[in-house]
Amino acid sequence: VEDLAEGNITLKVFRFDPNVDKNPRYVEYSIPKWRDMKVLEALVYIYENYEPIAFRYGCRSMLCGVCTLTINGEPRLACATDVEDGMLIEPLKGFPIIKDLVVDYEKNLRKLREIKPFLAADIEPVKVKVSKEAIDKCLTYSYCIACSACLSACPSAQGYGEKFIGPFFFYFLCRYVFDPRDKVDRLRQAFSEGLYRCLSCYRCEEVCPYEIPVNEVAIDELRSRCYERGMSVDYVKEFVKMVDTEGFINSSKLFLKVKGLKMLKDLSWMKNVVVKRKFTSPFKRYGALPIPRILKAGGK
Amino acid sequence: VKYAYYPGCAAKGSCTELDLSVKAVAEKLGISLIELDKAPCCGGREVRAVDPFKSIVLNGSILALAEREGLDVMTVCSTCYLTICQANQEMHKDPNLLSRVNEKLAEVNLYYNGGTRVKHLLHVIVEDYGLKALSGKVRFPLLGRRIGVFYGCHLLRPRRVLASERETETLQLERLVSVLGGTPIDNIAHSTCCGFPLVLVDEVLALHILSDYLTKMKEVKVECIVTTCPLCHIALDMYQPKAQRISKLRFEIPILHVSQLIGIALGVDPDELGVNKHVVSTKSFMDKIFR
């Protein structure tokens, strides 16, 4: 280790013991840094040489997914993140804190128990023939380590009321859509877990340690299959219909179609929006090329 | 410099002031725009999710119309930018897909060779026109005012698609605001969503996401927020009164389109920029600049 030494660095670490502390505090630790040192190694160094801070880790090699922390404001795996001078180390945002950097994943475990992300078959699975294509497809949904980085970064999952189960759960569900042995209606499950509350903001992909394009491979995939089965929300149905019939979105018409009489519930807001001419005429036509119509005529 | 201007649905609907200000600023800077008035909706992420091929044909037609003019496409919406770029890349990678798209486009007498490049107004100003040239035209510098920058997710993410489109894709809005004389506030500019995609799906959830962002911007005392995306503008401006009500906080933060902010600094008549067409009044900010 001495051969690889690169001088000293200082880290700012979140500390909080609910049994003792009234409020969280941040403690600075000066530690020696060596080449390729990871945040996890730095935490182990602090634990062994300063004081016993609480944090979780397991495999040290990006597989177990339990060392996820908020590092400089972003959810990252401690075992895979190069440590830098001045780094701010905090517990994973969006979860209740048990102590220091350890958070409570009970919410995740409860959801996992609910959605049953395992092969649900009432027959002996071995009797069903699984094609090579199905196996390949299922394998594309096998890279998530459930580290919860995407959940922490997802505005919808962290938003009000837990109406959106969160990115990696949809990835798990999608895997069983392609497994012919699975007997649970995974599309209905996805739909009722808030599939259409994904913002397509791509934060999940941005923070995923494996850069899994969760939105594209899981959420869009589930949405297109749900849509074909008529499981959609008014907004998407009307949006697609308007593109199909008019080639362009008339935003006030879309708003009226989706909200209907509900818009009368907020008259003062509506008045302001109308006065500021935020609504153009719902009868306005745009003269766009009839692309969806030619598609319909020729089939997909 | 000349571009095929693709305004998109929002700039022709709920954000007509964007269309107005883009044209006024382009004229002031000597950038000529040929508007693609026959171009259809890009389909957004909505059509993309439920029918990817339809999305690619829609965007193929936009690219083909621009190619016919021999021009690059200029969008003014982050979502249009991502959606058109993505379709363009997919057609480049897969000649078979391009020919399937062309079979469809033939029915409306279009053909796409694959030669159109896609730019957002921000790229046109920063990369093509140049910030140095722009700084020479600033007549009313923004006096160091604290301006929150907001890109909209789809000008930044997913990097898998967007990284290959630009050489220097980050911090362009921050640099632009500095050149116009403002102080860019970018504490969470790269990691936040405005909540727009949910305003017609789950308004309460959308308003919580929106008020989270506005609260953070209020804490860092921004005097206005500038955005590159009209969909973000709809959320941040039109839905701000609702976000105030749900969070019981008073924000009153004016939201400007990037074209409006440039126009203000260049001395374009505010009426031509449509700054009076916002739900949240821009008067306090305008008074600070022109006092």
Side-chain angles (χ1 to χ4, degrees), chain A residues 46-82:
Chain A
I46 294 168
Y47 183 91
E48 288 176 349
N49 295 280
Y50 283 97
E51 48 187 336
I53 54 172
F55 60 100
R56 276 197 190 104
Y57 72 100
C59 71
R60 305 181 188 218
S61 51
M62 291 179 76
L63 289 171
C64 71
V66 302
C67 67
T68 325
L69 297 172
T70 304
I71 300 173
N72 280 350
E74 287 286 277
R76 315 274 297 270
L77 290 182
C79 70
T81 306
D82 288 330

Coordinates of all heavy atoms in Angstrom, one line a residue, chain A residues 46-82:
Chain A
I46 N -11.4 4.5 7.8 CA -11.9 5.3 8.8 C -12.4 4.5 10.0 O -12.1 4.7 11.2 CB -13.1 6.3 8.3 CG1 -12.6 7.3 7.3 CG2 -13.8 7.0 9.5 CD1 -13.6 8.0 6.5
Y47 N -13.1 3.4 9.7 CA -13.6 2.5 10.7 C -12.5 1.9 11.5 O -12.6 1.8 12.7 CB -14.4 1.4 10.0 CG -15.1 0.4 10.9 CD1 -16.4 0.6 11.3 CD2 -14.4 -0.8 11.3 CE1 -17.0 -0.3 12.2 CE2 -15.0 -1.7 12.2 CZ -16.3 -1.4 12.6 OH -16.9 -2.3 13.4
E48 N -11.4 1.5 10.8 CA -10.3 0.8 11.5 C -9.4 1.8 12.3 O -8.8 1.4 13.2 CB -9.5 0.0 10.5 CG -10.3 -1.3 10.1 CD -9.6 -2.1 9.0 OE1 -8.6 -1.6 8.5 OE2 -10.1 -3.2 8.7
N49 N -9.3 3.0 11.8 CA -8.3 3.9 12.4 C -8.9 5.1 13.2 O -8.1 5.7 13.9 CB -7.4 4.4 11.3 CG -6.6 3.3 10.6 OD1 -5.6 2.9 11.2 ND2 -7.0 2.8 9.5
Y50 N -10.1 5.4 12.9 CA -10.7 6.6 13.7 C -11.8 6.1 14.6 O -11.6 6.1 15.8 CB -11.3 7.6 12.7 CG -10.2 8.5 12.1 CD1 -9.8 8.2 10.8 CD2 -9.8 9.6 12.7 CE1 -8.8 9.0 10.2 CE2 -8.8 10.4 12.1 CZ -8.3 10.1 10.8 OH -7.4 10.9 10.2
E51 N -13.0 5.8 14.1 CA -14.1 5.4 14.9 C -15.0 4.5 14.2 O -15.0 4.5 12.9 CB -14.8 6.6 15.5 CG -15.1 7.7 14.4 CD -15.7 8.9 15.0 OE1 -16.3 8.9 16.1 OE2 -15.6 10.0 14.2
P52 N -15.8 3.7 14.9 CA -16.7 2.8 14.2 C -17.9 3.4 13.6 O -18.9 3.5 14.2 CB -17.1 1.8 15.2 CG -16.9 2.5 16.5 CD -15.9 3.6 16.3
I53 N -17.8 3.9 12.3 CA -19.0 4.5 11.6 C -19.7 3.3 11.1 O -19.2 2.2 10.8 CB -18.6 5.4 10.5 CG1 -17.6 4.8 9.5 CG2 -18.1 6.7 11.1 CD1 -17.4 5.6 8.3
A54 N -21.1 3.5 10.9 CA -21.9 2.4 10.4 C -22.1 2.5 8.9 O -22.5 3.5 8.4 CB -23.2 2.4 11.1
F55 N -21.7 1.4 8.2 CA -22.0 1.3 6.8 C -22.1 -0.1 6.4 O -21.7 -1.0 7.1 CB -20.9 2.1 5.9 CG -19.5 1.5 6.1 CD1 -19.0 0.7 5.2 CD2 -18.8 1.9 7.2 CE1 -17.7 0.2 5.3 CE2 -17.5 1.4 7.4 CZ -16.9 0.6 6.5
R56 N -22.7 -0.4 5.2 CA -22.9 -1.8 4.8 C -22.0 -2.1 3.6 O -21.8 -1.2 2.7 CB -24.3 -1.9 4.2 CG -25.4 -2.2 5.3 CD -26.6 -2.8 4.5 NE -27.7 -2.9 5.4 CZ -28.7 -2.1 5.4 NH1 -28.8 -1.1 4.5 NH2 -29.7 -2.2 6.2
Y57 N -21.5 -3.3 3.5 CA -20.8 -3.7 2.3 C -20.8 -5.2 2.3 O -21.0 -5.9 3.3 CB -19.5 -3.1 2.1 CG -18.4 -3.6 3.0 CD1 -17.4 -4.5 2.6 CD2 -18.2 -3.1 4.3 CE1 -16.4 -4.9 3.4 CE2 -17.2 -3.5 5.1 CZ -16.3 -4.4 4.7 OH -15.3 -4.8 5.5
G58 N -20.5 -5.8 1.1 CA -20.5 -7.2 1.0 C -19.4 -7.7 0.1 O -18.2 -7.8 0.5
C59 N -19.7 -7.7 -1.2 CA -18.8 -8.4 -2.2 C -17.6 -7.6 -2.6 O -16.6 -8.2 -3.0 CB -19.6 -8.8 -3.4 SG -20.0 -7.3 -4.4
R60 N -17.6 -6.3 -2.5 CA -16.5 -5.4 -2.9 C -16.3 -5.4 -4.4 O -15.2 -5.0 -4.9 CB -15.2 -5.7 -2.2 CG -15.2 -5.7 -0.7 CD -13.8 -6.0 -0.3 NE -13.8 -6.3 1.2 CZ -12.8 -5.8 2.0 NH1 -11.8 -5.2 1.4 NH2 -12.8 -6.1 3.2
S61 N -17.2 -6.0 -5.2 CA -16.9 -6.1 -6.6 C -18.2 -5.9 -7.4 O -18.4 -6.6 -8.4 CB -16.3 -7.5 -6.9 OG -17.1 -8.5 -6.3
M62 N -19.0 -4.9 -7.1 CA -20.1 -4.5 -7.9 C -21.2 -5.6 -8.1 O -21.8 -5.7 -9.2 CB -19.7 -4.0 -9.3 CG -19.0 -2.7 -9.2 SD -18.5 -2.2 -10.9 CE -20.1 -1.6 -11.6
L63 N -21.3 -6.6 -7.2 CA -22.2 -7.6 -7.5 C -23.4 -7.7 -6.4 O -24.5 -8.1 -6.8 CB -21.5 -9.0 -7.5 CG -20.6 -9.2 -8.7 CD1 -19.8 -10.5 -8.5 CD2 -21.5 -9.4 -9.9
C64 N -23.1 -7.4 -5.2 CA -24.1 -7.6 -4.2 C -25.1 -6.4 -4.1 O -26.2 -6.5 -3.7 CB -23.5 -7.9 -2.8 SG -22.7 -6.5 -2.0
G65 N -24.6 -5.2 -4.4 CA -25.5 -4.0 -4.5 C -25.9 -3.5 -3.1 O -26.9 -2.8 -3.1
V66 N -25.1 -3.8 -2.1 CA -25.6 -3.2 -0.8 C -24.8 -2.0 -0.3 O -25.1 -1.4 0.7 CB -25.5 -4.3 0.4 CG1 -26.4 -5.4 0.1 CG2 -24.1 -4.7 0.7
C67 N -23.7 -1.6 -1.0 CA -22.9 -0.5 -0.5 C -23.3 0.8 -1.2 O -22.5 1.8 -1.2 CB -21.4 -0.8 -0.7 SG -20.9 -0.9 -2.4
T68 N -24.5 0.9 -1.8 CA -24.9 2.2 -2.5 C -25.0 3.3 -1.5 O -25.7 3.2 -0.4 CB -26.3 2.0 -3.2 OG1 -26.3 0.6 -3.6 CG2 -26.4 2.9 -4.3
L69 N -24.4 4.4 -1.8 CA -24.4 5.6 -1.0 C -24.6 6.8 -1.9 O -24.6 6.7 -3.1 CB -23.0 5.8 -0.3 CG -22.6 4.7 0.7 CD1 -21.2 5.0 1.1 CD2 -23.5 4.7 1.9
T70 N -24.9 8.0 -1.2 CA -25.0 9.2 -2.0 C -23.6 9.8 -1.9 O -23.2 10.3 -0.8 CB -26.1 10.1 -1.4 OG1 -27.3 9.4 -1.4 CG2 -26.2 11.4 -2.2
I71 N -22.9 9.8 -3.0 CA -21.6 10.3 -3.1 C -21.5 11.6 -3.9 O -21.9 11.6 -5.1 CB -20.6 9.3 -3.6 CG1 -20.7 8.0 -2.7 CG2 -19.2 9.8 -3.7 CD1 -19.9 6.8 -3.3
N72 N -21.1 12.7 -3.3 CA -21.2 14.0 -4.0 C -22.6 14.2 -4.6 O -22.7 14.7 -5.7 CB -20.1 14.2 -5.0 CG -18.8 14.5 -4.4 OD1 -18.7 14.8 -3.2 ND2 -17.7 14.5 -5.2
G73 N -23.6 13.9 -3.9 CA -25.0 14.1 -4.3 C -25.6 13.1 -5.2 O -26.8 13.2 -5.5
E74 N -24.8 12.2 -5.7 CA -25.3 11.2 -6.7 C -25.3 9.8 -6.1 O -24.3 9.4 -5.4 CB -24.5 11.2 -8.0 CG -24.8 12.4 -8.9 CD -26.1 12.3 -9.6 OE1 -26.2 11.7 -10.6 OE2 -27.0 13.0 -9.1
P75 N -26.3 8.9 -6.4 CA -26.2 7.6 -5.9 C -25.2 6.7 -6.6 O -25.2 6.6 -7.8 CB -27.7 7.0 -6.2 CG -28.3 7.9 -7.2 CD -27.5 9.2 -7.1
R76 N -24.2 6.2 -5.8 CA -23.1 5.4 -6.5 C -22.8 4.2 -5.6 O -23.0 4.3 -4.4 CB -21.9 6.3 -6.6 CG -22.0 7.7 -7.1 CD -22.0 7.7 -8.6 NE -20.7 7.3 -9.2 CZ -19.7 8.1 -9.4 NH1 -19.8 9.4 -9.1 NH2 -18.6 7.6 -10.0
L77 N -22.2 3.2 -6.2 CA -21.7 2.1 -5.4 C -20.4 2.5 -4.8 O -19.5 2.9 -5.5 CB -21.5 0.9 -6.3 CG -22.7 0.1 -6.8 CD1 -22.2 -1.1 -7.7 CD2 -23.6 -0.3 -5.7
A78 N -20.2 2.3 -3.4 CA -19.0 2.7 -2.8 C -17.8 1.9 -3.2 O -16.7 2.4 -3.3 CB -19.2 2.6 -1.3
C79 N -18.1 0.6 -3.6 CA -17.0 -0.3 -4.0 C -16.5 0.0 -5.4 O -15.4 -0.5 -5.8 CB -17.4 -1.7 -3.9 SG -18.6 -2.2 -5.1
A80 N -17.2 0.8 -6.2 CA -16.8 1.1 -7.6 C -16.5 2.5 -7.8 O -16.3 2.9 -9.0 CB -18.0 0.6 -8.5
T81 N -16.6 3.4 -6.8 CA -16.3 4.8 -7.0 C -15.0 5.2 -6.5 O -14.6 5.0 -5.3 CB -17.4 5.6 -6.3 OG1 -18.7 5.1 -6.7 CG2 -17.3 7.1 -6.6
D82 N -14.2 5.8 -7.4 CA -12.8 6.3 -7.0 C -13.0 7.4 -6.0 O -13.8 8.3 -6.2 CB -12.1 6.8 -8.2 CG -11.6 5.7 -9.1 OD1 -11.4 4.6 -8.6 OD2 -11.5 5.9 -10.4

